[in-house]
Amino acid sequence: MGAVLSILKNAVRIFISTASILKELSTVFNQALKRATLSPGLPNSAPSQPYWLSDPPYPELVDIRSPSLPQTADVVIIGSGIAGAAVARSLLHERRRRNTGTKERVVVLDARQLSSGATARNGGHIKPALYESFSRLSKLLPKNRAAALAQFQYRHVECLIALCQSEGIECAEARKVETVDFFLDGPAFSKAVADAGELEKWLPEIKIVVWNGDQAQEGTSKLMKDQRFGVNNSVVGALSYQAGAIWAYRFVAAIWNGLLKDFPHSLSIETNTPAESISVPEEAPAGFPYAVQTARGTIFARQVVHATNGFASHLIPGLRSKIVGARGHMSAQQPGRQFPYSDGQHSWSVVYGDGFDYATQRPPATSDSKGDLLIGGGFTRSLKQGIDQVGLYDDGNSPDPLTTTHVTGLFPAIFHPQWGAGAELKQLWTGILGMTGDSLPLVGRLTMKLTGRDIRERKPMPSGSTPKDGAGCGEWIVAGFSGEGMVWAWLSGAALGIMIAGSEDEELPTAPGRPGGKLREWFPGELLVSRERIRSADIISYKDITELTNKYEKLDSMQERRDSLVYNKKVTALRGETAVIDAGGNVDLILNRDSHLALNHAIEVIGKVDQNLHVKVQAATDFGTNIDFNAVNAVVEATHRYKEIFYDDE
C-alpha cells in the first residue's frame, strides 16, 4: 500500500525539518540526484536468493534458452517477469483470435534466470489500499479519474485469482484474504478513516471496516471467525477490507509454461541473455530495424518491448530520472507459536506516520503448523530515511542493516505477547522497485526522442510482407510500478499486448486474464506515455533546493515551523523584558526568562503573535555578528516556494 515515492517525499520533509543538517541534506540529495540520472546498468549477476524461488514448479524453465539465439524476431520482449508475461500472453492470444501474425516470432530476453527480478522478490500481496491511493491520486487528477485508477487497481484481485482458477494454476496459491491495516499513530489513523469515507462516495462497492484502538486490540471480526486481531496497545486503530495474495513467481512460471505449449513455434525464451544495447544499424535486415545486442549475439527485431521496471532506463536514455530504481527489503519468517493466525487467509500492513510495512501468510504446510510470514517494508528506516536507497540497483547479499532490523522485529513487537517462542528468520533478500514521478506506471509506445533511436531512414519491409496488425516498427514500455506491481502490472501488460496487436479499438470478448470491451473502457488513459507526463515525471526535482543548501551550508538553524513565527534578524533595541528586531520593519518582542539577547547580534526567534501584534518569545538563539542575511533570506524564501517539501499538507 502507498506508493514508495510519496513515502520518500515525506521522508524528505522529515530529513530537512531540522535545518542544522542542511549541509548533510545537500550531500545526500546530490548523491540521490546523481544516481537518478545515471544508467542502472544490468542486474546483479549474483543476486540475493528470495524465498519465492525455492522449489520452482517448472525446473526446466529456470534457465531455459535456445541452443542459439534467433537471428530475427517480430517482437522482442525484454524482461520475463509478470509484465512481460502479460504482454506476451495478450499479444499471442489476440493474434490467434484474429488469425493474423500467428507465424511471427516473439522472443523473450532476461538477463538472469526466468522471472527472477522484482516478480520473484515482492511480498505476494494483491493489495490495493484504495483509500490511500484514491486520496493521493485525487491531488493530481479529478476525483472521477482517481476513482477510475483505483478501480483498475482493484480489478487485479479478481482478475489474477480467476485466471489461476481457469488455468488450473494451483501452485500459485492465489486466494482472497481479509487484510488489516494496523495504525501506530493517531493522526495517520484519523486521516485514513477520513480517506476511506471519501472513497466510499466514489466507489461504494469497496467495503472498508473501521476499528478503533480497543476493538483492534480486543475486538473480534466475523470475517476472521471470531479470532482476535491479537495486537497489543501499540495499535491505535485499524481498517480491514478484502484483498488477495499470490505466489507471483509460480504464477508467472505457469503462464510461460502454458504459452510455450500453446505457441511452440511462435515463442522462445532466452534466459541468462542480458540485452546490453539497442541500435538501428544501416546493415539491419529490411523490416527489422532494431539490433538488440546481447551477451550471446545480436537479434534483429521489428518491435521491442521494455518490461524491465526499475532497469528500463538502461536502454531508454530519455527515462533517466523519470523511472528510477530503489532498493526494497523482504523477509520470510516462521511466526512464534502464540501467533493467532495460521491458515493463510489474512494479510496485514502496519502504518506509522508516512511509512508502512506489509505481510502475507502462506497456507500452512500441515494441519498443525502455521504458514510462513512474508514481511517487507521499512523503506524509511535506513540511515537516511530511505533517500540513500534511491538509485540503488544492487539486489545482492548486502541488505541495509537498519532496515533489516526493523523488518525482522516488527511483528514480534506489535503482537507481543501473542507471538511466543519458536520464531525463525528463514530468508532475507532485496529487490529493485521502479519508481516514477507521479507514482503511476508508464505504458505504451515510446517516442524516438526518449529512446534516441531514429528508424525513419531504415529499410522498410519488402512489399506485401508488412504484418496486418498495424503496429509497424517501434518500441514499447510497461514499467514503473512504484512498489505496487501486483495491482498494476498484469492488466497494464495485457493492455499493451492489445495495443501491439492493433486491437485497441475493437470490441473484444471477455477472456480469462482481462476484461472485455474496447481498451479505453477499462484501461486508464492516464497510464499512457505522453509528452505531458514525461515533462513532469522527474522522480526528484529538488535540484534548486540542494543548490541553495550548498551555497549556504554554514547556516545551521533556519527552520520555519507551522505553529510558530520564526524570525532570523538583527536586534536593534533592548528595553528590559522587551526588544525590537529589524525584520523588514520593526517587530516588538516580549522576552521570556531564557532570552539572552545582545544589541546588533543576529538572532533566531521562535514565538507567537499576541492580540497586540507583539511576538511572545518561546525560544531565541544568538548567532553573533558574522551572519549573511542575504543567505538567510534565500533559505526562508525556499521554504515558502516549496511548501510541499517543508510542510505537511493543511
Side-chain angles (χ1 to χ4, degrees):
M1 60 172 291
V4 172
L5 178 61
S6 64
I7 297 172
L8 174 64
K9 288 182 176 178
N10 285 313
V12 170
R13 294 195 192 103
I14 296 169
F15 196 68
I16 63 181
S17 63
T18 303
S20 61
I21 57 173
L22 283 177
K23 180 178 180 179
E24 185 177 5
L25 158 70
S26 173
T27 301
V28 172
F29 261 126
N30 279 334
Q31 291 171 348
L33 284 166
K34 182 177 180 180
R35 292 194 300 268
T37 60
L38 298 176
S39 168
L42 293 170
N44 186 343
S45 59
S48 55
Q49 184 71 8
Y51 174 95
W52 300 117
L53 288 180
S54 62
D55 191 23
Y58 304 98
E60 69 277 12
L61 299 186
V62 171
D63 294 298
I64 185 175
R65 64 180 188 179
S66 307
S68 60
L69 195 68
Q71 293 183 343
T72 61
D74 175 58
V75 179
V76 168
I77 299 174
I78 305 174
S80 67
I82 188 170
V87 174
R89 185 180 186 278
S90 178
L91 173 61
L92 290 168
H93 279 235
E94 183 57 17
R95 283 180 168 176
R96 182 169 63 184
R97 184 192 71 83
R98 298 177 61 182
N99 195 29
T100 59
T102 54
K103 295 182 180 180
E104 300 288 350
R105 178 177 287 273
V106 175
V107 176
V108 180
L109 305 178
D110 201 298
R112 303 189 298 206
Q113 293 180 328
L114 182 76
S115 190
S116 60
T119 299
R121 296 170 184 277
N122 65 19
H125 242 161
I126 316 172
K127 177 176 179 173
L130 297 184
Y131 63 90
E132 185 277 334
S133 59
F134 176 75
S135 173
R136 171 166 41 86
L137 293 170
S138 293
K139 297 175 183 177
L140 304 174
L141 302 165
K143 287 191 174 181
N144 66 318
R145 297 312 305 158
L149 285 160
Q151 194 170 47
F152 179 77
Q153 288 185 297
Y154 193 66
R155 265 186 162 154
H156 283 76
V157 178
E158 292 285 351
C159 177
L160 292 174
I161 294 173
L163 180 57
C164 287
Q165 291 172 345
S166 68
E167 299 285 325
I169 308 176
E170 296 181 1
C171 64
E173 299 176 355
R175 61 206 182 275
K176 290 183 179 179
V177 299
E178 187 199 23
T179 193
V180 184
D181 296 343
F182 296 126
F183 291 83
L184 303 188
D185 70 277
F189 178 54
S190 297
K191 183 179 186 304
V193 172
D195 290 343
E198 186 65 21
L199 173 68
E200 187 177 14
K201 299 175 184 177
W202 292 88
L203 295 175
E205 66 271 23
I206 306 300
K207 305 301 181 183
I208 299 177
V209 181
V210 178
W211 307 81
N212 64 33
D214 290 340
Q215 292 171 326
Q217 296 158 24
E218 303 294 340
T220 60
S221 164
K222 292 181 181 179
L223 293 177
M224 297 176 65
K225 300 178 182 178
D226 293 327
Q227 281 187 309
R228 293 168 55 184
F229 283 146
V231 291
N232 55 38
N233 60 9
S234 62
V235 173
V236 302
L239 301 180
S240 63
Y241 47 99
Q242 189 177 81
I246 193 171
W247 192 318
Y249 167 74
R250 287 186 172 182
F251 164 69
V252 172
I255 292 295
W256 286 126
N257 183 66
L259 291 175
L260 287 168
K261 289 181 177 179
D262 288 347
F263 303 93
H265 305 298
S266 303
L267 174 66
S268 65
I269 302 175
E270 311 295 334
T271 63
N272 303 300
T273 306
E276 298 172 341
S277 64
I278 302 176
S279 60
V280 284
E282 290 286 351
E283 64 273 16
F288 297 89
Y290 297 104
V292 182
Q293 181 66 45
T294 79
R296 297 170 57 209
T298 301
I299 180 169
F300 291 95
R302 189 165 68 88
Q303 300 183 79
V304 178
V305 176
H306 299 265
T308 51
N309 201 26
F311 289 87
S313 70
H314 167 56
L315 297 173
I316 312 170
L319 290 183
R320 289 171 195 167
S321 81
K322 314 293 185 182
I323 295 182
V324 178
R327 186 173 65 170
H329 291 69
M330 273 297 304
S331 68
Q333 303 179 36
Q334 177 179 299
R337 285 190 284 270
Q338 301 301 316
F339 187 60
Y341 303 88
S342 62
D343 59 4
Q345 300 302 308
H346 307 94
S347 71
W348 308 266
S349 291
V350 181
V351 185
Y352 41 89
D354 297 305
F356 73 95
D357 308 300
Y358 46 89
T360 57
Q361 184 179 36
R362 284 192 59 209
T366 62
S367 59
D368 59 348
S369 65
K370 297 180 185 295
D372 289 340
L373 294 171
L374 288 303
I375 304 176
F379 187 79
T380 61
R381 291 321 195 201
S382 67
L383 185 61
K384 305 301 180 185
Q385 289 78 49
I387 301 170
D388 51 351
Q389 303 300 299
V390 175
L392 296 187
Y393 297 92
D394 184 0
D395 56 4
N397 292 297
S398 299
D400 178 77
L402 294 179
T403 305
T404 298
T405 300
H406 174 84
V407 168
T408 55
L410 174 69
F411 265 42
I414 68 167
F415 280 98
H416 177 79
Q418 297 202 67
W419 182 256
E424 177 190 355
L425 175 63
K426 289 191 166 184
Q427 217 150 335
L428 180 72
W429 65 95
T430 56
I432 306 304
L433 317 175
M435 302 193 300
T436 64
D438 57 9
S439 301
L440 299 175
L442 286 168
V443 184
R445 186 185 286 272
L446 292 165
T447 65
M448 296 177 190
K449 183 177 180 180
L450 288 173
T451 65
R453 293 179 279 273
D454 189 343
I455 63 171
R456 288 174 294 186
E457 302 301 322
R458 296 299 178 259
K459 291 176 287 186
M461 295 191 75
S463 177
S465 61
T466 302
K468 297 179 181 180
D469 61 20
C473 299
E475 296 185 61
W476 308 78
I477 189 171
V478 53
F481 304 116
S482 297
E484 298 183 299
M486 296 311 299
V487 293
W488 287 122
W490 179 261
L491 286 176
S492 293
L496 187 62
I498 291 171
M499 295 178 207
I500 298 172
S503 302
E504 60 265 42
D505 292 325
E506 293 189 27
E507 190 77 27
L508 300 180
T510 300
R514 64 157 175 80
K518 294 182 179 180
L519 186 63
R520 62 177 175 270
E521 294 173 353
W522 60 267
F523 181 73
E526 289 82 359
L527 305 186
L528 293 170
V529 179
S530 68
R531 182 180 301 176
E532 292 73 21
R533 283 193 68 193
I534 296 300
R535 187 184 297 124
S536 59
D538 280 351
I539 191 74
I540 304 176
S541 56
Y542 307 138
K543 188 174 181 180
D544 44 356
I545 292 293
T546 59
E547 288 175 351
L548 275 174
T549 55
N550 278 334
K551 186 174 181 180
Y552 304 123
E553 63 186 14
K554 292 182 180 179
L555 299 174
D556 65 351
S557 189
M558 297 296 148
Q559 180 187 11
E560 176 170 290
R561 300 180 183 173
R562 294 172 60 192
D563 59 347
S564 305
L565 293 177
V566 180
Y567 292 95
N568 299 282
K569 293 298 180 181
K570 184 186 296 184
V571 178
T572 58
L574 286 170
R575 306 188 191 98
E577 295 182 353
T578 65
V580 179
I581 61 172
D582 177 12
N586 289 339
V587 175
D588 294 317
L589 306 181
I590 300 174
L591 306 179
N592 62 18
R593 293 181 180 180
D594 297 323
S595 301
H596 303 289
L597 309 185
L599 200 61
N600 295 321
H601 279 215
I603 62 167
E604 178 188 72
V605 172
I606 301 173
K608 291 188 176 181
V609 179
D610 65 13
Q611 65 272 22
N612 298 315
L613 300 182
H614 298 156
V615 175
K616 289 186 176 181
V617 175
Q618 296 173 320
T621 304
D622 191 318
F623 290 106
T625 58
N626 188 24
I627 286 291
D628 179 358
F629 281 102
N630 290 328
V632 174
N633 291 333
V635 174
V636 172
E637 179 186 355
T639 69
H640 290 291
R641 287 177 59 200
Y642 300 94
K643 292 181 180 180
E644 71 276 14
I645 299 174
F646 286 84
Y647 309 127
D648 292 328
D649 294 334
E650 294 291 347

